[in-house]
Amino acid sequence: MVSTLILISDQNEYQHGLLSLLSTRRDLYLASSSLDLRKCIREAVSLHALNHILKKRRRILKNNERLAHAAKTNPDSPPEDVQDQGFTRPSVLILLPFRSSALDWFTAMTSHTPSPAYQIENQSRFLTEYGLPAGAVDKLTTAVPGTYPRDHVETFKGNVDDNFRVGLKMTRKSVKMFSEFYDSDAIIASPLGLRRSIEKEKGADYLSSIEILIVDQMEALTMQNWDHVKFVLSYLNQLPKESHNTDFSRVKPWHLDGHSIYLRQSILISAYETPETRSFYNSALKNVAGRIRTEKRWPPVEVPEGIEQNFIHFDCSNPKDEADKRFHHFTTQVLPSVFKSAVQSTNTAIFVPSSFDFIRIQNYFRKHAGVSFTVLSEYSTNQDIARARLAFFEGKKSFLLISERFHFYRRYKIRGIRNLIFYGPPDHPQFFTELLSYPFLDDGVEPSDVTCRILYCKYDWFRLERIAGTDAAAGLIKGT
């Protein structure tokens, strides 16, 4: 099922609607969650997860009492309807990109377990390990407002370590952090941190009975390494290799039958869609209760007035050929026309969304182009970045290759640009606006001095829609 979730200005009403949807046990994919709604979404989803954990715990305790009573009064006829557990205790998995994200989710979850009714065990340790070190200053949050884009501040403020995993255990009056996985009710982890744990232990039986999967900030996870996400998900709801002292008479029948994946609720949260996240939604969510995906009609992004945007289409009928067809069109059609122009063969920045394409273009320039160029990638050191920016600004290098991951992590303002070539539309629409504004950092630059080319095919639909707007993007795709 695909439906449109109407965004409501009243966040309390929005949370109420969200909780109503979650209570149906259907999978939910929030494909365009805004920064303004991020906190209230966390609060609602964390409440739903805690409610699931506490209901499960109450059911187990009640059945424990029934079994104990039957053992005393009628030992030959114990109750049979006590299947209330999985193979292992963890039933909620929350996948996040950074430790700061884990701290936000911890705050959201503990907001529903206030003191003195609940005691938070190991809270100071958690705040120490998942916050900034003592005395550290967060330059993003302390900078003058407007220095950094808001989405960059919200994503990278705090502790941005991407290797972590922590267990959370609920009892009647306490929440315990850093519990052992097999003694935890929920696991909060990054895909990288969980993958390293799985590879070290050569197994992940603690993921065999996950009943609620939450993946937040999927747009950031795609910028890290999506293979880590796929690796972790491949271990979810698999039959365990060891028994782990499981009382199989208490295990729910669908776990025993290997059908738990069909009753797992998945909650996916992202600022925008990518082919990876839509593929995950289409292929990995098997919930028999159904699924809901939100949709958004995107307006065109704002760009400096007067800049002509030249959308260049190339034909491609098979997604497997997309990378090769794009590279062929770029190197045989786009670049030759650029090299022939004295104006466009200098002060030219080439923005490449894919890291694989970026390496390919870099190797092409190194071996074939015969022009001076420099690069800004996610692996560039501060010294490399300073050297590359200065060389390009002073005209010592004619071409500047920029990877999207570099811009995602660093967000440097780059001077000296007069010609922009997008090897493909960027995933993040704001990057398009920012890059087109950079030529005007230099004095005396007019819109007519700036050229912009965007290479695209029909498989760029998600990214193209966020740049050109839903209606215009449909026209670009159909018109070709």
Side-chain angles (χ1 to χ4, degrees), residues 369-414:
V371 295
S372 61
F373 75 99
T374 187
V375 300
L376 291 174
S377 77
E378 61 268 33
Y379 302 110
S380 299
T381 64
N382 290 337
Q383 187 176 10
D384 294 335
I385 294 169
R387 189 183 299 119
R389 292 172 71 199
L390 183 62
F392 181 72
F393 175 65
E394 293 181 343
K396 296 177 181 177
K397 300 291 184 181
S398 299
F399 287 81
L400 176 65
L401 307 183
I402 309 170
S403 74
E404 180 157 10
R405 284 186 176 178
F406 167 82
H407 196 63
F408 173 74
Y409 284 106
R410 300 298 191 120
R411 228 48 175 265
Y412 278 100
K413 294 179 179 178
I414 301 165

Short mmCIF file of all heavy atoms in Angstrom, two decimals, residues 369-414:
data_model
loop_
_atom_site.label_atom_id
_atom_site.label_comp_id
_atom_site.label_asym_id
_atom_site.label_seq_id
_atom_site.Cartn_x
_atom_site.Cartn_y
_atom_site.Cartn_z
N ALA A 369 42.95 13.09 -20.38
CA ALA A 369 42.49 14.45 -20.64
C ALA A 369 43.61 15.41 -21.04
O ALA A 369 43.43 16.27 -21.89
CB ALA A 369 41.73 15.00 -19.43
N GLY A 370 44.76 15.25 -20.41
CA GLY A 370 45.87 16.13 -20.74
C GLY A 370 45.68 17.56 -20.30
O GLY A 370 46.23 18.48 -20.91
N VAL A 371 44.87 17.76 -19.28
CA VAL A 371 44.64 19.12 -18.75
C VAL A 371 44.98 19.11 -17.26
O VAL A 371 45.02 18.07 -16.61
CB VAL A 371 43.18 19.58 -18.95
CG1 VAL A 371 42.86 19.70 -20.42
CG2 VAL A 371 42.22 18.61 -18.28
N SER A 372 45.22 20.31 -16.75
CA SER A 372 45.55 20.42 -15.32
C SER A 372 44.28 20.32 -14.49
O SER A 372 43.27 20.95 -14.81
CB SER A 372 46.26 21.74 -15.05
OG SER A 372 45.43 22.83 -15.38
N PHE A 373 44.32 19.51 -13.44
CA PHE A 373 43.14 19.34 -12.60
C PHE A 373 43.58 19.02 -11.18
O PHE A 373 44.71 18.62 -10.92
CB PHE A 373 42.23 18.23 -13.13
CG PHE A 373 42.74 16.84 -12.87
CD1 PHE A 373 42.26 16.09 -11.80
CD2 PHE A 373 43.73 16.27 -13.69
CE1 PHE A 373 42.72 14.82 -11.55
CE2 PHE A 373 44.20 15.00 -13.45
CZ PHE A 373 43.70 14.26 -12.37
N THR A 374 42.65 19.20 -10.26
CA THR A 374 42.86 18.81 -8.88
C THR A 374 41.56 18.25 -8.34
O THR A 374 40.50 18.37 -8.98
CB THR A 374 43.34 20.01 -8.03
OG1 THR A 374 43.70 19.56 -6.73
CG2 THR A 374 42.27 21.08 -7.93
N VAL A 375 41.61 17.60 -7.17
CA VAL A 375 40.43 16.89 -6.68
C VAL A 375 40.13 17.25 -5.23
O VAL A 375 41.03 17.59 -4.45
CB VAL A 375 40.61 15.35 -6.79
CG1 VAL A 375 40.84 14.94 -8.23
CG2 VAL A 375 41.74 14.86 -5.91
N LEU A 376 38.85 17.17 -4.90
CA LEU A 376 38.38 17.27 -3.52
C LEU A 376 37.48 16.06 -3.26
O LEU A 376 36.37 15.98 -3.78
CB LEU A 376 37.58 18.56 -3.31
CG LEU A 376 38.37 19.87 -3.35
CD1 LEU A 376 37.42 21.06 -3.26
CD2 LEU A 376 39.39 19.94 -2.23
N SER A 377 37.99 15.10 -2.49
CA SER A 377 37.22 13.90 -2.18
C SER A 377 37.12 13.74 -0.67
O SER A 377 37.76 14.47 0.09
CB SER A 377 37.89 12.66 -2.78
OG SER A 377 39.00 12.25 -2.01
N GLU A 378 36.32 12.76 -0.24
CA GLU A 378 36.14 12.53 1.19
C GLU A 378 37.43 12.07 1.86
O GLU A 378 37.55 12.11 3.09
CB GLU A 378 35.04 11.50 1.43
CG GLU A 378 35.28 10.14 0.83
CD GLU A 378 34.70 10.00 -0.57
OE1 GLU A 378 34.67 11.01 -1.31
OE2 GLU A 378 34.29 8.89 -0.92
N TYR A 379 38.41 11.66 1.05
CA TYR A 379 39.68 11.20 1.60
C TYR A 379 40.75 12.29 1.61
O TYR A 379 41.87 12.06 2.05
CB TYR A 379 40.19 9.99 0.80
CG TYR A 379 39.22 8.83 0.80
CD1 TYR A 379 38.53 8.48 -0.35
CD2 TYR A 379 38.96 8.11 1.96
CE1 TYR A 379 37.62 7.42 -0.36
CE2 TYR A 379 38.06 7.06 1.97
CZ TYR A 379 37.40 6.72 0.82
OH TYR A 379 36.49 5.68 0.82
N SER A 380 40.41 13.47 1.12
CA SER A 380 41.38 14.58 1.09
C SER A 380 41.67 15.07 2.51
O SER A 380 40.76 15.24 3.32
CB SER A 380 40.83 15.74 0.27
OG SER A 380 40.59 15.36 -1.08
N THR A 381 42.95 15.25 2.81
CA THR A 381 43.33 15.80 4.11
C THR A 381 43.10 17.31 4.10
O THR A 381 42.88 17.91 3.03
CB THR A 381 44.81 15.51 4.41
OG1 THR A 381 45.63 16.21 3.43
CG2 THR A 381 45.11 14.01 4.33
N ASN A 382 43.18 17.92 5.26
CA ASN A 382 43.01 19.38 5.33
C ASN A 382 44.05 20.09 4.48
O ASN A 382 43.77 21.11 3.84
CB ASN A 382 43.12 19.85 6.79
CG ASN A 382 41.91 19.42 7.61
OD1 ASN A 382 40.83 19.17 7.08
ND2 ASN A 382 42.08 19.34 8.92
N GLN A 383 45.27 19.54 4.46
CA GLN A 383 46.33 20.15 3.65
C GLN A 383 46.02 19.99 2.17
O GLN A 383 46.21 20.93 1.38
CB GLN A 383 47.67 19.49 3.99
CG GLN A 383 48.87 20.15 3.33
CD GLN A 383 50.19 19.52 3.76
OE1 GLN A 383 50.20 18.48 4.42
NE2 GLN A 383 51.30 20.13 3.39
N ASP A 384 45.53 18.82 1.79
CA ASP A 384 45.16 18.59 0.39
C ASP A 384 44.05 19.55 -0.04
O ASP A 384 44.07 20.08 -1.15
CB ASP A 384 44.67 17.15 0.19
CG ASP A 384 45.77 16.12 0.39
OD1 ASP A 384 46.95 16.48 0.22
OD2 ASP A 384 45.44 14.95 0.71
N ILE A 385 43.07 19.74 0.85
CA ILE A 385 41.94 20.61 0.54
C ILE A 385 42.40 22.05 0.35
O ILE A 385 42.02 22.72 -0.62
CB ILE A 385 40.88 20.53 1.66
CG1 ILE A 385 40.28 19.12 1.71
CG2 ILE A 385 39.79 21.57 1.45
CD1 ILE A 385 39.44 18.87 2.94
N ALA A 386 43.22 22.54 1.26
CA ALA A 386 43.71 23.92 1.17
C ALA A 386 44.52 24.12 -0.12
O ALA A 386 44.36 25.14 -0.82
CB ALA A 386 44.56 24.25 2.39
N ARG A 387 45.35 23.15 -0.44
CA ARG A 387 46.18 23.24 -1.63
C ARG A 387 45.33 23.23 -2.91
O ARG A 387 45.55 24.02 -3.84
CB ARG A 387 47.19 22.08 -1.65
CG ARG A 387 48.27 22.20 -2.74
CD ARG A 387 49.18 20.99 -2.74
NE ARG A 387 49.87 20.84 -1.47
CZ ARG A 387 49.75 19.78 -0.67
NH1 ARG A 387 48.94 18.79 -1.00
NH2 ARG A 387 50.43 19.71 0.45
N ALA A 388 44.32 22.34 -2.94
CA ALA A 388 43.47 22.22 -4.13
C ALA A 388 42.62 23.47 -4.33
O ALA A 388 42.49 23.97 -5.45
CB ALA A 388 42.59 20.98 -4.00
N ARG A 389 42.04 23.98 -3.25
CA ARG A 389 41.19 25.16 -3.37
C ARG A 389 41.98 26.37 -3.85
O ARG A 389 41.51 27.14 -4.69
CB ARG A 389 40.54 25.48 -2.02
CG ARG A 389 39.52 24.44 -1.56
CD ARG A 389 39.08 24.72 -0.13
NE ARG A 389 38.23 25.91 -0.05
CZ ARG A 389 37.99 26.57 1.07
NH1 ARG A 389 38.60 26.20 2.20
NH2 ARG A 389 37.21 27.63 1.08
N LEU A 390 43.21 26.54 -3.32
CA LEU A 390 44.04 27.68 -3.71
C LEU A 390 44.49 27.57 -5.16
O LEU A 390 44.43 28.55 -5.92
CB LEU A 390 45.25 27.78 -2.78
CG LEU A 390 46.18 28.96 -3.03
CD1 LEU A 390 45.44 30.28 -2.80
CD2 LEU A 390 47.42 28.89 -2.12
N ALA A 391 44.89 26.36 -5.56
CA ALA A 391 45.35 26.18 -6.94
C ALA A 391 44.23 26.43 -7.94
O ALA A 391 44.45 27.02 -9.01
CB ALA A 391 45.91 24.76 -7.11
N PHE A 392 43.03 26.00 -7.60
CA PHE A 392 41.90 26.21 -8.51
C PHE A 392 41.51 27.69 -8.54
O PHE A 392 41.27 28.25 -9.62
CB PHE A 392 40.72 25.36 -8.05
CG PHE A 392 39.51 25.49 -8.93
CD1 PHE A 392 39.48 24.93 -10.20
CD2 PHE A 392 38.39 26.19 -8.49
CE1 PHE A 392 38.37 25.06 -11.02
CE2 PHE A 392 37.26 26.32 -9.30
CZ PHE A 392 37.26 25.75 -10.57
N PHE A 393 41.49 28.34 -7.39
CA PHE A 393 41.10 29.74 -7.33
C PHE A 393 42.09 30.63 -8.09
O PHE A 393 41.71 31.57 -8.79
CB PHE A 393 41.01 30.19 -5.87
CG PHE A 393 40.74 31.66 -5.70
CD1 PHE A 393 39.55 32.23 -6.13
CD2 PHE A 393 41.70 32.49 -5.12
CE1 PHE A 393 39.31 33.59 -5.98
CE2 PHE A 393 41.46 33.85 -4.98
CZ PHE A 393 40.27 34.40 -5.40
N GLU A 394 43.38 30.32 -7.99
CA GLU A 394 44.41 31.12 -8.66
C GLU A 394 44.57 30.77 -10.13
O GLU A 394 45.38 31.38 -10.83
CB GLU A 394 45.75 30.95 -7.93
CG GLU A 394 45.74 31.55 -6.52
CD GLU A 394 47.07 31.39 -5.82
OE1 GLU A 394 47.88 30.54 -6.28
OE2 GLU A 394 47.32 32.09 -4.83
N GLY A 395 43.82 29.76 -10.61
CA GLY A 395 43.89 29.40 -12.02
C GLY A 395 45.04 28.48 -12.37
O GLY A 395 45.28 28.20 -13.55
N LYS A 396 45.76 27.97 -11.37
CA LYS A 396 46.86 27.04 -11.65
C LYS A 396 46.35 25.67 -12.07
O LYS A 396 47.06 24.91 -12.71
CB LYS A 396 47.76 26.91 -10.42
CG LYS A 396 48.46 28.20 -10.03
CD LYS A 396 49.28 28.03 -8.76
CE LYS A 396 49.96 29.35 -8.37
NZ LYS A 396 50.72 29.21 -7.09
N LYS A 397 45.12 25.38 -11.67
CA LYS A 397 44.46 24.15 -12.10
C LYS A 397 43.15 24.54 -12.78
O LYS A 397 42.35 25.31 -12.24
CB LYS A 397 44.15 23.24 -10.90
CG LYS A 397 45.38 22.80 -10.11
CD LYS A 397 46.26 21.85 -10.92
CE LYS A 397 47.43 21.34 -10.09
NZ LYS A 397 48.31 20.42 -10.85
N SER A 398 42.94 23.99 -13.99
CA SER A 398 41.77 24.39 -14.78
C SER A 398 40.49 23.70 -14.34
O SER A 398 39.40 24.27 -14.43
CB SER A 398 42.02 24.09 -16.27
OG SER A 398 43.14 24.82 -16.74
N PHE A 399 40.63 22.45 -13.88
CA PHE A 399 39.45 21.66 -13.52
C PHE A 399 39.54 21.24 -12.06
O PHE A 399 40.61 20.92 -11.54
CB PHE A 399 39.34 20.42 -14.41
CG PHE A 399 38.92 20.71 -15.81
CD1 PHE A 399 39.84 21.14 -16.76
CD2 PHE A 399 37.59 20.58 -16.20
CE1 PHE A 399 39.46 21.40 -18.05
CE2 PHE A 399 37.20 20.86 -17.50
CZ PHE A 399 38.13 21.27 -18.43
N LEU A 400 38.38 21.22 -11.41
CA LEU A 400 38.27 20.76 -10.03
C LEU A 400 37.22 19.67 -9.96
O LEU A 400 36.05 19.90 -10.28
CB LEU A 400 37.88 21.93 -9.11
CG LEU A 400 37.64 21.58 -7.63
CD1 LEU A 400 38.93 21.10 -6.97
CD2 LEU A 400 37.08 22.79 -6.89
N LEU A 401 37.63 18.46 -9.57
CA LEU A 401 36.70 17.35 -9.41
C LEU A 401 36.25 17.29 -7.95
O LEU A 401 37.07 17.22 -7.04
CB LEU A 401 37.37 16.02 -9.80
CG LEU A 401 38.03 15.95 -11.19
CD1 LEU A 401 38.58 14.56 -11.44
CD2 LEU A 401 37.05 16.37 -12.27
N ILE A 402 34.94 17.32 -7.75
CA ILE A 402 34.37 17.32 -6.39
C ILE A 402 33.45 16.12 -6.23
O ILE A 402 32.54 15.91 -7.03
CB ILE A 402 33.54 18.61 -6.13
CG1 ILE A 402 34.34 19.86 -6.50
CG2 ILE A 402 33.06 18.67 -4.69
CD1 ILE A 402 33.51 21.14 -6.50
N SER A 403 33.68 15.33 -5.20
CA SER A 403 32.78 14.21 -4.93
C SER A 403 31.65 14.68 -4.01
O SER A 403 31.85 15.58 -3.18
CB SER A 403 33.53 13.04 -4.27
OG SER A 403 33.83 13.32 -2.92
N GLU A 404 30.49 14.07 -4.15
CA GLU A 404 29.35 14.48 -3.31
C GLU A 404 29.64 14.19 -1.85
O GLU A 404 29.22 14.93 -0.97
CB GLU A 404 28.06 13.79 -3.74
CG GLU A 404 26.87 14.20 -2.88
CD GLU A 404 25.54 14.02 -3.55
OE1 GLU A 404 25.47 13.41 -4.63
OE2 GLU A 404 24.53 14.51 -2.99
N ARG A 405 30.34 13.10 -1.58
CA ARG A 405 30.66 12.78 -0.19
C ARG A 405 31.55 13.84 0.43
O ARG A 405 31.44 14.14 1.62
CB ARG A 405 31.31 11.39 -0.09
CG ARG A 405 30.31 10.25 -0.24
CD ARG A 405 30.97 8.92 -0.01
NE ARG A 405 30.01 7.83 -0.06
CZ ARG A 405 30.31 6.56 0.07
NH1 ARG A 405 31.57 6.19 0.26
NH2 ARG A 405 29.39 5.62 0.00
N PHE A 406 32.45 14.40 -0.36
CA PHE A 406 33.28 15.48 0.17
C PHE A 406 32.40 16.65 0.60
O PHE A 406 32.56 17.19 1.70
CB PHE A 406 34.29 15.96 -0.88
CG PHE A 406 34.95 17.27 -0.53
CD1 PHE A 406 36.02 17.29 0.34
CD2 PHE A 406 34.48 18.47 -1.04
CE1 PHE A 406 36.62 18.50 0.71
CE2 PHE A 406 35.07 19.68 -0.69
CZ PHE A 406 36.14 19.69 0.19
N HIS A 407 31.47 17.03 -0.27
CA HIS A 407 30.62 18.18 0.06
C HIS A 407 29.71 17.85 1.24
O HIS A 407 29.42 18.73 2.06
CB HIS A 407 29.81 18.59 -1.16
CG HIS A 407 29.21 19.95 -1.05
ND1 HIS A 407 29.97 21.10 -0.96
CD2 HIS A 407 27.91 20.37 -0.98
CE1 HIS A 407 29.18 22.15 -0.85
NE2 HIS A 407 27.92 21.74 -0.86
N PHE A 408 29.26 16.60 1.32
CA PHE A 408 28.40 16.19 2.43
C PHE A 408 29.12 16.33 3.76
O PHE A 408 28.56 16.85 4.74
CB PHE A 408 27.96 14.73 2.21
CG PHE A 408 27.20 14.13 3.37
CD1 PHE A 408 25.89 14.50 3.61
CD2 PHE A 408 27.80 13.21 4.21
CE1 PHE A 408 25.18 13.94 4.67
CE2 PHE A 408 27.10 12.65 5.27
CZ PHE A 408 25.79 13.02 5.50
N TYR A 409 30.37 15.88 3.82
CA TYR A 409 31.10 15.89 5.09
C TYR A 409 31.75 17.24 5.39
O TYR A 409 31.86 17.63 6.56
CB TYR A 409 32.19 14.81 5.07
CG TYR A 409 31.67 13.41 5.27
CD1 TYR A 409 31.60 12.53 4.20
CD2 TYR A 409 31.21 12.99 6.50
CE1 TYR A 409 31.11 11.23 4.38
CE2 TYR A 409 30.71 11.71 6.69
CZ TYR A 409 30.67 10.84 5.62
OH TYR A 409 30.18 9.57 5.80
N ARG A 410 32.19 17.98 4.38
CA ARG A 410 33.00 19.18 4.62
C ARG A 410 32.25 20.49 4.40
O ARG A 410 32.44 21.45 5.14
CB ARG A 410 34.25 19.16 3.71
CG ARG A 410 35.16 17.96 3.94
CD ARG A 410 35.74 17.92 5.34
NE ARG A 410 36.79 16.93 5.45
CZ ARG A 410 38.04 17.19 5.80
NH1 ARG A 410 38.40 18.44 6.05
NH2 ARG A 410 38.93 16.22 5.89
N ARG A 411 31.50 20.59 3.35
CA ARG A 411 30.68 21.76 3.03
C ARG A 411 31.52 23.03 2.89
O ARG A 411 31.12 24.11 3.34
CB ARG A 411 29.65 21.94 4.14
CG ARG A 411 28.21 22.17 3.76
CD ARG A 411 27.59 21.29 2.73
NE ARG A 411 26.19 21.59 2.59
CZ ARG A 411 25.21 20.95 3.21
NH1 ARG A 411 25.51 19.93 3.98
NH2 ARG A 411 23.97 21.31 3.02
N TYR A 412 32.69 22.93 2.27
CA TYR A 412 33.53 24.10 2.02
C TYR A 412 32.91 24.98 0.93
O TYR A 412 32.31 24.48 -0.02
CB TYR A 412 34.93 23.69 1.56
CG TYR A 412 35.87 23.31 2.68
CD1 TYR A 412 36.11 21.98 2.99
CD2 TYR A 412 36.53 24.28 3.41
CE1 TYR A 412 36.98 21.63 4.01
CE2 TYR A 412 37.40 23.94 4.43
CZ TYR A 412 37.62 22.61 4.73
OH TYR A 412 38.48 22.27 5.74
N LYS A 413 33.10 26.28 1.07
CA LYS A 413 32.74 27.20 0.00
C LYS A 413 33.94 27.32 -0.94
O LYS A 413 35.07 27.54 -0.48
CB LYS A 413 32.36 28.57 0.57
CG LYS A 413 31.09 28.53 1.40
CD LYS A 413 30.74 29.90 1.97
CE LYS A 413 29.45 29.84 2.79
NZ LYS A 413 29.10 31.14 3.39
N ILE A 414 33.69 27.17 -2.23
CA ILE A 414 34.78 27.08 -3.20
C ILE A 414 34.72 28.28 -4.14
O ILE A 414 33.70 28.51 -4.81
CB ILE A 414 34.69 25.77 -4.00
CG1 ILE A 414 34.77 24.58 -3.03
CG2 ILE A 414 35.80 25.68 -5.03
CD1 ILE A 414 34.33 23.28 -3.63
#
